[in-house]
Amino acid sequence: MKALILVGGYGTRLRPLTLTQPKPLVEFANKPMMLHQMEALAAVGVDTVVLAVSYRAEQLEQEMTVHADRLGVKLIFSLEEEPLGTAGPLALARKHLEGDDPFFVLNSDVICDFPFKQMVEFHKKHGKEGTIAVTKVEEPSKYGVVVFDEVHGKIDDFVEKPQEYVGNKINAGLYIFSSAILDRIPLKPTSIEKEIFPEMATSGNLYAFVLPGFWMDVGQPRDFLKGMSLFLNHVSTTNPEKLATRSNLHETATIRGSVLVDPSASVGENCVIGPDVVIGPRVKIERGVRIQHSTILSDSTVGNYSWVSGSIVGRECHIGSWVRMENICVLGDDVVVKDEVYLNEASVLPHKVIAVNVPSKDIIM
Amino acid sequence: MSFKAVVLVGGPQKGTRFRPLSLQLPKPLFPIAGVPLIEHHIDQLCQLSGLSEILLLGFFPTDLFTEFIDRCQKTYRVSIKYLEEPNPLGTAGGLVSFKATILSGDPNAVFVINADVCGDLPIEDMGAKIDSISGSSMLMLTTEATRQQSVNFGSVVTDSEGKVVHYVDKPTTFVSTNISCGVYLMKAEVIRQLDLPLNGDGIWLERDVIPQLAASGNLYALHTTRWWSQTKTAAAVLYANRHYLRLYKKRYAARLCRIGAQIIGDVFIDPSAQVHPTAKIGPNVSIGPNAVIGKGVRIKESIILPEAVIEENACVLQSVIGWRSIVGMWARIEGIPLEPNPNLPFAKMDNKPLFLPDGRLTPSLTILGSDVSVAPETIILNCVVLPYKELTCSYKNQIIL
């Protein structure tokens, strides 16, 4: 089988993390975001992955090629000269996708359990052109709701931001299509959700597969952290042995809830870490540090007695002592936060030194 | 020459801008740099040879000062008495009604000091100068203010010999950048001659006495450029704390702490306080008796009052932590520093109102009243917290009643 991943552009919503590396390489739970999808695809026998990109990123090509080789997957970069929307890239990569087998199309920002095997079985069972994975949300009014037959999955309608309740399942950004869909898509900017899916639904060719388990679009910092919590919770029930072990923690450090600590990281005495924390490779957490609901990316240091909550710390950052960070602070790479500084909802661009408080939402250029 | 001194301590109806720090303790007894506000005055007065007695004059109940006076008499080996005014009589009213007590023992001159000023007062210079002035006269300590701020004080115009030719209290328009420090030295005759009627709103030095002395050519000024400030608002205490700690370096270097924790700059720690060696304290911090400072605590530019507890890894910046208050682990108590404009020579602290014209709280230090508890891991930023509050979540820019 083949797959196409819609990588798109510069990942502006996840800035400042994406200013120094392409979004698919940003580590989510200590693994590049895209690698979660690639591994899941490889696991169900996908042998060719097309990355639909709208800009050339050498770093992305080099790094993903290494991973693809390791997974035994052939990687093809399909570059859009002009933005082609969410459907156009399929037309552009037509020659790579055509064939008897159905192929996957994934939105690159999505994190879930990737139950691709069940999806393929479902798709083969109904035998029509397309399958959309759908997921349940609490507030459907914010999304486009998929209205479908709960028994067989046949999609009747799409309602964008419904004013009254029509259903609570939304498009999860994971699809399986048969080659026939390619005849519906012209090589020009086209929206798969608005232009292609409705006509497929009308002709009875589109089915909904309800995703079991968690799902999150992690394309922006708040959702990145929410997705991290869901992911860690999922790991704690399915593979608890993958979560933090005490081997690289000081004996007086405490772990609360689900915490992932890279084996090369260190956590000092009297630290209290968790719930919902990811600590990346070679990260150094000094003494008496409290971290919760946060991701600390690789090679960063968090100084003595600091307090970090609901934040993402970029790579090679240096957080001083008695620093307090909260409410979705996002530090780009190589940011230095001086001792005793308070950051609240601060987005800090890479290579900055922060010496004064940021008491309310601000972007530090 | 022989001297006495009167410290005007006011009463419970005064010093309201000092709340909540004056809710349980008279403001003149509030500890700054580990020592009650008026003890700094007593200490400086006692450097003067020929001083026979210090009288605290005010309308607080006498017993509030008994313990303090007992201790100070022993420490400074000087007679100290409290004179209780039956009701507020004005800044000169008390001098009139206690004239006999003040003048008993026939001092040549009497210092009169407002308790709500602080500074490095040139007491000895004033004593020497009054000796050189003849007649029934008074010497007033003056200092420099900015043109803009001068109108908030008593404005003083002097001739080249230091004789005051004009005095006006808080003028509406600019008069002079020389201002009165609220520190006076009066020849005994000046007090003896005070016999103004005690009318409805009392007798006031600034209104009823000083302008007349200036007009009759009996008022002189001694100008100082040493540190001086008012301590009218609670926000002024950290500024006063910093400067009194600095003055310790000159006269009481042993009071400053050097060991027991990571100490930065000028720090006073009462010997009965417990401070963990991993705590980092300073600059400009005073920690009162029996306070407990835990592991990995950071305190900077703050006053920790007696018996307060700062738990592990907490951070206290630009704040006053009240008596017996408890700050939980990893909590952060932070205020916004207030100080005179450092870019203007002779700028003073502004006595800003609690609220800005748009209704927001004026950014200022954070003050926890007595017996407040702050939950672990919260932040209390730019808040004034009244006594006995239990704070279970974070607060910013609020007065918590």
Side-chain angles (χ1 to χ4, degrees), chain A residues 167-180:
Chain A
N168 60 3
K169 307 288 193 304
I170 64 159
N171 180 345
L174 310 172
Y175 320 119
I176 297 181
F177 300 124
S178 305
S179 288

Side-chain angles (χ1 to χ4, degrees), chain A residues 270-291:
Chain A
N270 295 318
C271 288
V272 180
I273 310 293
D276 302 333
V277 172
V278 173
I279 293 176
R282 299 169 301 280
V283 165
K284 192 169 173 234
I285 309 292
E286 296 185 342
R287 260 178 293 137
V289 172
R290 177 82 184 95
I291 306 178

Side-chain angles (χ1 to χ4, degrees), chain B residues 35-56:
Chain B
V35 166
L37 200 48
I38 53 169
E39 191 173 332
H40 291 287
H41 300 139
I42 291 172
D43 181 15
Q44 293 181 5
L45 285 165
C46 286
Q47 305 308 309
L48 182 71
S49 58
L51 184 90
S52 61
E53 189 171 52
I54 297 171
L55 302 161
L56 310 181

Side-chain angles (χ1 to χ4, degrees), chain A residues 256 269-272 287-290 292 305-307 322-324 326-327 339-342 344 357 359, chain B residues 262 278-280 295-298 300 312-315 317 329-332 334 377-379 381 394 396:
Chain A
R256 290 194 190 150
E269 61 187 277
N270 295 318
C271 288
V272 180
R287 260 178 293 137
V289 172
R290 177 82 184 95
Q292 52 194 326
Y305 319 116
S306 284
W307 189 92
W322 292 288
V323 168
R324 184 181 176 104
E326 61 186 340
N327 294 327
D339 288 357
E340 296 145 32
V341 166
Y342 171 51
N344 181 28
N357 287 358
Chain B
Q262 295 182 64
T278 57
K280 186 174 175 186
K295 231 186 252 180
V297 164
R298 177 77 180 103
K300 186 162 104 176
E312 280 175 42
N313 317 322
C315 184
L317 309 172
M329 288 172 81
W330 281 295
R332 183 184 178 101
E334 183 171 10
E377 306 192 28
T378 55
I379 178 167
L381 181 65
S394 295
K396 292 177 188 174

Side-chain angles (χ1 to χ4, degrees), chain B residues 277-300:
Chain B
T278 57
K280 186 174 175 186
I281 315 283
N284 306 318
V285 171
S286 295
I287 297 176
N290 301 311
V292 179
I293 312 299
K295 231 186 252 180
V297 164
R298 177 77 180 103
I299 306 176
K300 186 162 104 176

Side-chain angles (χ1 to χ4, degrees), chain B residues 362-376:
Chain B
T362 303
S364 183
L365 47 154
T366 285
I367 299 172
L368 304 188
S370 72
D371 305 280
V372 168
S373 75
V374 176

Side-chain angles (χ1 to χ4, degrees), chain A residues 207-265:
Chain A
Y207 279 70
F209 170 81
V210 180
L211 272 183
F214 75 103
W215 173 90
M216 185 55 71
D217 177 331
V218 295
Q220 48 188 324
R222 185 178 297 274
D223 296 337
F224 182 95
L225 288 170
K226 208 182 283 176
M228 174 197 70
S229 297
L230 294 171
F231 179 85
L232 290 176
N233 179 48
H234 175 73
V235 174
S236 76
T237 52
T238 55
N239 296 88
E241 71 283 355
K242 284 193 177 165
L243 292 177
T245 56
R246 296 213 53 96
S247 61
N248 48 348
L249 308 181
H250 190 273
E251 58 187 13
T252 57
T254 306
I255 295 290
R256 290 194 190 150
S258 307
V259 173
L260 192 60
V261 180
D262 188 274
S264 61

